Amino acid sequence: MSKSATDVIKGLRKGKIDRTAFLTTVYSEIREEVKSPDLATKTNAIRKLFILALEGYDMEWASFHILEVMSSQKFSQKHSGLLAASQCFKPNSDILFLATNFFRRELVANNTIDTCIAINTLACIVNADMSKELLNDCVTLLNASKPILRKKVCVLFYKLFLQYPDGLVICFERLAEKLRDESPGVVMGTVNTIYELSRLNPAFVLFTAQALYEILNTTTNNFVLIKLIKLFVELAKVEPRLLKKLSGPFIRILTSNPAKSVEFEVIRAICAVFPESEDMLRIILQKLPGFLDSHDPNCKFYIVKYLGLVVLHKLIQINRDYAEEYRIFIMEALQSKDVTIRLRALELIKITTTNKSLIETIKNLLIEVEKPINAGIKEELISTCLYLLSLNQYELVEDFKWMFEVLLQIVNFKTSIHEAQLSSIMLDVVLRVEELREEACELSLNALEIFDTLKSEKCEALTALLFIIGEFSNYFSEGNLIKALSLVTKPRWELLNFHESVYNALSSCVFKIFIRAKEDGVFKACVKKLEENSVQIEHMESQERSLLYLNILTTSDKEKLNFVLKPFLPIHPSAQSLIFPPDALQQNFIVNDDELFTTKSDGTLEYHYYREEDFGDIQMTDQEKKAAKLKIKEKQMQDPYYIKPKKGKKKKGKKSKKLEGKVEEIKETAEVVKEEEIKKPEAPKKYSVNRAEPLIPS
Amino acid sequence: MIHFILLISRHGKIRCSKYFSTYSNKEREKLQKEIKGLTIGRNSKLCNFLEYKEMILVAKRYASLYFVLGQDKEENELISLEVLQFFVEILDKYFKNVCELDIIFNFHKAYYLLDEMLVAGHIIETSKKQILRVIANQDEIMEDALVETETRSS
């Protein structure tokens, strides 16, 4: 006696059995049973298979059997088959080729219930081909006598249109007629479909606005109301004239409807559609306390969402200070147990912080970063801090020394994602704010004392600190200068294997410190450090730079190096246009023009030192042309910017005749060499690595 | 629109899963696994809305079952919570004080009820009476068929 579905469920729930073994047994039974010609047995097998599918087993191999069960005349079997189909068939399943006819029969059948359950399943599995085939039958169903059928078909149309968009043009008008259907369920279904379509193409559904407006004013169903409100927001984007008509109903709904979901939807709509209106703002702000005082955590979620919308659109336009009232609430929300609410609160903080509240906000944010509960949102917290500090070119910051201290504090949090942004802000603010430089130097020096802890992947922070110390070392007192020098000349720098940019910055820093300093001892220390750098560090570029600086230091006059003392200043992007180009940069400047020479018939090259067009319409004798040629050539020889053509087989024009013979010689030897090369096998290349010789000759 | 509804037991068993959008079998498994992790054991004091990929999950626990719904970001979350509440109330009326066991043994009824409530991811019927009437009708037909087979075999 084969098990029924209930038996399987009971079997699974027995405590002591081995589930996997039981399931495997059932599965193999099903595989046998499902082949049976008797529909009842088949249905039983499919029902059991469904249970196994919930446990994770695959159902697709039985697709054809499911189709057979679906096609049964018996309602219970058909129902089970359709259930299995809705779970297992997908729009890309092959079985759907065979299923189309089945669905067509069901759609035109006289049996309401059969058609209903067919539509239920169809909504889950319909694909483009089926859509095309069944569209007409669905349109016929729009006029069915039973409202339940009309209702289901209206909603089905959305799926049909998604799969077969051309169908939209054909039957949308017929669907839109259903907005005036007497049955509210049908209207609901139609509104749903039109809403989804309006998200894709609002202009297309615009002609239904009149009917929709009537429903907006008459319906009492909150589900429909919400969908309509959303619909009108989409329509208002393409038809601004709707706005006048919408303000009345929106206010009415907002003040009269008790449901919070509807309230929220209207507020969201108002913010999207009427961002300027003062009246609306007043009404919305009246509603907010209702949410603020509520203990329902969902309300908390909504309030932060609300505030995000309301504040975003209106208060910023008016004045950030309006947001003062809500700051306490936002800070509380930041400490909420729910991480979604915390993240939303961060968004609000970005919008509502003013220059008066900046210091406290940042302080709170930094406290939050250190809490273990916030480990997941640490990145967002820090990026909010950086965003606020650098907003509108530091508009919010009043005390830059405090800001620099905050930046150094963030450096210690060691977030690699933000390091680049952090270091660029540090450099930017020190360059732009002259008064900050002295304090920034001192703070950077203190921060650098623990430079070994600041190692990271690209070490941008370290590079920035080194740059600040070097570039603005003229603000250091003597004592600090010595301290700085001793810090950067520590041997520990080489040992720790930092990123290449650190060593580059280190060399420049040493170089600049020397330029500022006045003592001989400093000179010796700098030179020694640069020497070490050029030898011990692996990166070639860093070695190169150290050598470069070393050479400059040891060979130049110290006075001549004072150009280094000129400060880096930010330049406005339009400044370049104020500088006129020098005379050397002429308009018709030929740079390495390949047309400067041609290949003559015997294979030699002839260089042209002029172009015919340069002479224009001037008629010249040959003698005059030669003279002109020579003149131009002369000018080019003396011109330091003229790039001489490639040193090919031919040398410059004047000597070309003398070398002609030699060129022939060279050609011959080249040919000989070629032949020799062909004969000999290629010798492998040898590279010799000279490790013994020091790179700097002593 | 609503993309899927899942009913998950406290121990992580899927009692009911209805998908309104296309997901391959692999995607479904992954989705179910991730959602299990997110919803089971979540503190009831927290809000019912979670962000998951490009959707919002609306999750509510009723007795020993977690009802989870996946919706578009633009959808109204509170109304989706209403949808879940509505579903639970219908189950309650149909099974007369529903408990998890009812859904375990009569999962197909839960699916049929859901089908009357939601089609293509949209709610189409908000009257409990209507839905229950339709299902009662279906049950009658199935009963008749059962009686028929019994009389035939006897």
Side-chain angles (χ1 to χ4, degrees):
Chain A
M1 176 69 171
S2 76
K3 299 192 186 69
S4 76
T6 324
D7 294 330
V8 172
I9 299 177
K10 283 190 191 156
L12 281 173
R13 290 181 61 78
K14 278 195 189 141
K16 292 176 189 164
I17 52 117
D18 177 11
R19 283 180 73 88
T20 337
F22 180 70
L23 284 172
T24 326
T25 333
V26 176
Y27 190 64
S28 40
E29 280 176 20
I30 291 174
R31 288 198 89 108
E32 282 307 310
E33 264 186 47
V34 86
K35 296 178 198 161
S36 147
D38 173 31
L39 272 178
T41 331
K42 226 192 252 280
T43 316
N44 196 23
I46 295 292
R47 285 185 187 143
K48 289 190 284 190
L49 188 54
F50 190 89
I51 299 173
L52 258 60
L54 282 176
E55 297 285 332
Y57 278 75
D58 177 40
M59 245 202 312
E60 257 182 272
W61 57 268
S63 296
F64 192 71
H65 302 291
I66 295 177
L67 189 58
E68 287 186 307
V69 171
M70 264 158 66
S71 317
S72 158
Q73 293 302 316
K74 284 218 170 110
F75 179 73
S76 58
Q77 291 170 356
K78 189 189 293 247
H79 215 1
S80 301
L82 280 168
L83 177 62
S86 69
Q87 192 75 347
C88 151
F89 293 178
K90 313 270 187 330
N92 56 5
S93 300
D94 295 324
I95 192 73
L96 292 181
F97 289 119
L98 302 167
T100 316
N101 270 325
F102 162 76
F103 280 109
R104 178 177 287 138
R105 279 202 313 268
E106 295 300 311
L107 286 178
V108 300
N110 247 327
N111 191 331
T112 313
I113 296 199
D114 280 353
T115 317
C116 277
I117 58 177
I119 295 179
N120 289 341
T121 303
L122 202 56
C124 294
I125 64 174
V126 69
N127 67 11
D129 290 320
M130 289 173 83
S131 235
K132 200 168 164 190
E133 307 262 326
L134 300 172
L135 198 65
N136 283 324
D137 297 313
C138 291
V139 174
T140 324
L141 275 174
L142 278 176
N143 293 324
S145 50
K146 292 271 161 86
I148 185 173
L149 277 174
R150 298 201 299 269
K151 170 177 78 174
K152 291 201 185 216
V153 144
C154 282
V155 154
L156 174 65
F157 265 104
Y158 174 59
K159 286 279 161 156
L160 294 177
F161 290 150
L162 263 187
Q163 295 288 337
Y164 180 53
D166 294 332
L168 190 62
V169 184
I170 305 170
C171 18
F172 183 64
E173 275 190 41
R174 300 286 306 277
L175 177 64
E177 284 169 19
K178 292 293 137 195
L179 279 175
R180 299 191 192 273
D181 194 288
E182 55 202 14
S183 160
V186 180
V187 174
M188 185 192 280
T190 320
V191 168
N192 273 316
T193 306
I194 296 183
Y195 167 63
E196 292 293 333
L197 289 171
S198 76
R199 281 170 69 191
L200 301 168
N201 189 351
F204 186 76
V205 301
L206 194 55
F207 72 91
T208 55
Q210 181 66 25
L212 290 169
Y213 192 72
E214 283 168 25
I215 306 172
L216 182 68
N217 286 329
T218 52
T219 187
T220 50
N221 187 321
N222 282 345
F223 293 94
V224 177
L225 203 53
I226 289 177
K227 278 274 144 68
L228 278 171
I229 295 171
K230 285 177 182 306
L231 229 183
F232 273 110
V233 170
E234 296 295 325
L235 290 179
K237 286 180 194 166
V238 289
E239 181 56 83
R241 286 178 295 176
L242 273 175
L243 295 180
K244 264 180 281 170
K245 295 205 117 188
L246 285 175
S247 53
F250 278 0
I251 296 182
R252 177 184 53 84
I253 298 170
L254 189 55
T255 44
S256 62
N257 199 308
K260 284 218 153 55
S261 51
V262 179
E263 261 182 38
F264 174 68
E265 199 57 55
V266 179
I267 293 185
R268 186 171 18 189
I270 291 176
C271 292
V273 160
F274 297 112
E276 311 293 322
S277 164
E278 285 276 341
D279 307 321
M280 301 284 194
L281 173 62
R282 230 177 290 133
I283 302 177
I284 293 175
L285 287 175
Q286 270 172 10
K287 290 279 171 185
L288 278 182
F291 277 76
L292 271 172
D293 296 332
S294 159
H295 293 288
D296 180 2
N298 287 337
C299 281
K300 278 243 156 52
F301 176 83
Y302 268 105
I303 193 66
V304 280
K305 218 174 168 177
Y306 259 125
L307 283 183
L309 299 171
V310 173
V311 174
L312 180 69
H313 287 281
K314 304 201 186 196
L315 299 189
I316 302 305
Q317 286 166 12
I318 302 169
N319 199 337
R320 271 190 185 225
D321 294 329
Y322 271 22
E324 270 304 302
E325 270 182 62
Y326 304 105
R327 234 175 15 90
I328 303 171
F329 176 77
I330 297 175
M331 283 304 159
E332 273 177 22
L334 191 60
Q335 290 165 7
S336 148
K337 292 198 190 112
D338 192 342
V339 75
T340 334
I341 292 181
R342 272 181 274 153
L343 282 171
R344 283 258 144 87
L346 275 180
E347 296 295 314
L348 285 174
I349 288 176
K350 275 190 193 168
I351 304 164
T352 56
T353 313
T354 63
N355 39 0
K356 292 189 196 108
S357 60
L358 180 71
I359 297 184
E360 199 180 322
T361 311
I362 300 277
K363 194 170 79 169
N364 282 331
L365 285 175
L366 292 177
I367 294 175
E368 293 295 320
V369 171
E370 288 177 12
K371 288 188 189 169
I373 193 177
N374 282 329
I377 60 169
K378 192 170 157 186
E379 314 288 318
E380 279 86 1
L381 282 164
I382 294 182
S383 66
T384 312
C385 284
L386 292 176
Y387 173 84
L388 286 171
L389 288 173
S390 56
L391 186 61
N392 275 345
Q393 292 205 329
Y394 321 108
E395 194 181 44
L396 297 175
V397 179
E398 286 172 2
D399 182 359
F400 281 92
K401 183 181 176 205
W402 162 84
M403 176 185 170
F404 200 77
E405 283 170 353
V406 165
L407 290 172
L408 287 176
Q409 216 181 332
I410 298 179
V411 167
N412 282 328
F413 289 139
K414 294 202 197 57
T415 49
S416 44
I417 302 179
H418 299 292
E419 227 187 312
Q421 190 190 12
L422 186 61
S423 61
S424 81
I425 294 177
M426 280 199 316
L427 289 172
D428 196 39
V429 88
V430 172
L431 282 173
R432 289 177 192 271
V433 182
E434 213 178 306
E435 295 87 2
L436 176 61
R437 287 179 195 165
E438 188 179 336
E439 288 148 341
C441 275
E442 213 179 304
L443 290 168
S444 310
L445 191 58
N446 294 336
L448 262 186
E449 274 173 23
I450 45 161
F451 64 84
D452 25 5
T453 60
L454 293 175
K455 183 175 179 183
S456 70
E457 203 185 308
K458 286 193 180 154
C459 304
E460 285 111 338
L462 258 183
T463 323
L465 290 172
L466 282 169
F467 179 86
I468 294 173
I469 290 182
E471 184 66 22
F472 303 110
S473 47
N474 51 333
Y475 290 98
F476 276 143
S477 60
E478 276 300 317
N480 266 342
L481 196 63
I482 303 297
K483 187 177 167 193
L485 186 62
S486 65
L487 189 62
V488 297
T489 50
K490 278 194 184 161
R492 204 156 158 66
W493 286 97
E494 281 76 46
L495 289 174
L496 284 177
N497 223 355
F498 290 107
H499 187 261
E500 185 181 342
S501 49
V502 173
Y503 294 113
N504 295 345
L506 196 61
S507 316
S508 343
C509 185
V510 171
F511 178 63
K512 288 178 201 170
I513 289 181
F514 163 69
I515 305 295
R516 310 272 192 241
K518 292 166 180 121
E519 297 177 358
D520 259 343
V522 176
F523 175 73
K524 281 195 186 142
C526 290
V527 164
K528 179 165 174 245
K529 181 66 183 177
L530 286 174
E531 274 183 11
E532 280 174 12
N533 262 7
S534 60
V535 178
Q536 288 179 10
I537 298 167
E538 284 177 1
H539 309 288
M540 282 185 7
E541 179 65 30
S542 310
Q543 287 188 7
E544 184 75 25
R545 286 201 200 189
S546 310
L547 270 176
L548 182 70
Y549 287 132
L550 188 63
N551 273 309
I552 298 177
L553 273 189
T554 45
T555 55
S556 341
D557 231 341
K558 194 171 172 181
E559 279 68 47
K560 284 195 183 161
L561 293 173
N562 280 336
F563 75 89
V564 176
L565 291 173
K566 279 196 188 155
F568 251 124
L569 289 174
I571 300 178
H572 195 273
S574 62
Q576 179 68 54
S577 56
L578 295 171
I579 302 174
F580 294 104
D583 291 332
L585 246 57
Q586 294 151 353
Q587 289 272 331
N588 48 356
F589 180 63
I590 305 165
V591 179
N592 207 14
D593 190 344
D594 277 345
E595 290 168 356
L596 276 176
F597 59 85
T598 50
T599 320
K600 287 204 283 207
S601 49
D602 57 0
T604 53
L605 299 169
E606 193 202 34
Y607 288 95
H608 304 290
Y609 289 99
Y610 70 96
R611 286 193 286 200
E612 286 294 350
E613 44 262 43
D614 291 341
F615 286 96
D617 289 330
I618 307 169
Q619 295 294 331
M620 276 184 158
T621 61
D622 270 322
Q623 192 78 314
E624 286 173 25
K625 276 194 184 166
K626 266 192 184 171
K629 268 196 208 178
L630 278 174
K631 219 181 174 184
I632 293 173
K633 218 181 357 144
E634 202 82 70
K635 200 175 174 191
Q636 279 173 343
M637 287 307 169
Q638 285 168 12
D639 188 354
Y641 295 111
Y642 177 66
I643 298 171
K644 298 177 178 83
K646 263 195 239 177
K647 285 180 185 170
K649 292 175 190 165
K650 267 223 162 218
K651 292 205 174 174
K652 297 176 184 99
K654 254 187 185 171
K655 300 176 188 169
S656 60
K657 286 175 190 166
K658 287 183 193 171
L659 285 174
E660 249 172 9
K662 272 205 174 176
V663 169
E664 305 297 319
E665 255 184 59
I666 294 167
K667 264 194 180 172
E668 283 169 24
T669 47
E671 283 167 6
V672 169
V673 166
K674 261 193 188 169
E675 282 173 32
E676 284 182 21
E677 272 183 37
I678 293 166
K679 285 176 195 169
K680 281 188 197 168
E682 262 188 31
K685 276 189 180 176
K686 280 185 190 169
Y687 295 100
S688 61
V689 179
N690 201 332
R691 290 196 177 90
E693 244 177 82
L695 289 166
I696 304 173
S698 48
Chain B
M1 60 176 275
I2 297 175
H3 293 288
F4 55 81
I5 291 192
L6 298 171
L7 266 62
I8 314 179
S9 82
R10 249 183 330 149
H11 304 290
K13 285 216 166 341
I14 307 280
R15 295 296 176 206
C16 174
S17 66
K18 180 85 190 178
Y19 292 90
F20 299 103
S21 294
T22 314
Y23 292 96
S24 74
N25 283 344
K26 272 215 172 101
E27 285 169 353
R28 288 186 189 186
E29 266 177 56
K30 186 167 174 235
L31 198 122
Q32 284 168 351
K33 195 168 159 197
E34 287 174 359
I35 291 178
K36 273 188 223 174
L38 285 172
T39 50
I40 298 182
R42 191 169 153 84
N43 194 331
S44 53
K45 293 204 187 107
L46 303 178
C47 77
N48 296 97
F49 315 122
L50 289 133
E51 291 188 27
Y52 173 71
K53 292 194 182 160
E54 71 293 346
M55 290 187 282
I56 291 191
L57 293 177
V58 180
K60 189 150 184 196
R61 181 175 157 183
Y62 289 91
S64 56
L65 270 181
Y66 288 89
F67 283 67
V68 186
L69 181 157
Q71 59 164 48
D72 284 330
K73 276 203 151 107
E74 295 85 22
E75 282 289 327
N76 189 312
E77 290 93 341
L78 282 175
I79 210 73
S80 302
L81 212 52
E82 282 293 316
V83 169
L84 286 178
Q85 178 72 17
F86 188 63
F87 185 38
V88 173
E89 284 175 13
I90 288 223
L91 287 170
D92 193 42
K93 271 223 160 128
Y94 181 75
F95 287 111
K96 315 263 188 305
N97 276 325
V98 69
C99 62
E100 192 182 340
L101 230 54
D102 291 316
I103 301 188
I104 295 174
F105 280 98
N106 296 305
F107 60 89
H108 51 294
K109 296 284 188 221
Y111 280 97
Y112 299 156
L113 282 165
L114 200 53
D115 274 339
E116 294 308 314
M117 215 175 92
L118 290 158
V119 175
H122 292 110
I123 191 154
I124 51 160
E125 185 55 71
T126 48
S127 157
K128 285 193 276 260
K129 272 196 194 150
Q130 285 278 64
I131 297 181
L132 291 168
R133 204 184 300 160
V134 172
I135 296 290
N137 211 356
Q138 287 180 4
D139 286 343
E140 251 184 62
I141 301 181
M142 294 220 244
E143 279 295 315
D144 289 342
L146 210 60
V147 170
E148 221 181 274
T149 48
E150 278 176 10
T151 50
R152 254 195 249 152
S153 55
S154 66

